[in-house]
Amino acid sequence: DYSEVLGTMAKKLGISPAYLSAIENNGREIPNDMIAKIAQVYNLDDSQIKELEEADITLGTTLKVLC
């Protein structure tokens, strides 16, 4: 269970809070390299990684499902 503020998550992922907010609010899709970074930072298992890769939704919605 990952409960953290947007700024903390952005820092862990090496991106700006504004960019993460745009992704979270359906402004941008998840870049493939970010999926790898998310998997590494949050120790996602194979099924969670697959869900991110196959998702036709944005980061915010996907991560809410995973967490």
Side-chain angles (χ1 to χ4, degrees):
D1 179 30
Y2 301 104
S3 298
E4 59 188 27
V5 296
L6 184 124
T8 302
M9 184 177 189
K11 185 175 181 176
K12 286 181 179 181
L13 295 174
I15 59 175
S16 73
Y19 182 64
L20 182 57
S21 180
I23 293 171
E24 184 178 28
N25 293 307
N26 301 322
R28 297 184 184 255
E29 292 188 21
I30 309 169
N32 287 336
D33 60 333
M34 189 178 296
I35 290 174
K37 183 70 172 181
I38 293 167
Q40 176 188 12
V41 169
Y42 293 96
N43 298 314
L44 301 184
D45 63 33
D46 290 340
S47 66
Q48 292 169 314
I49 294 168
K50 185 176 179 179
E51 184 176 343
L52 275 176
E53 291 171 339
E54 293 177 350
D56 191 31
I57 52 180
T58 60
L59 177 65
T61 305
T62 303
L63 285 183
K64 288 174 189 168
V65 169
L66 292 175
C67 296

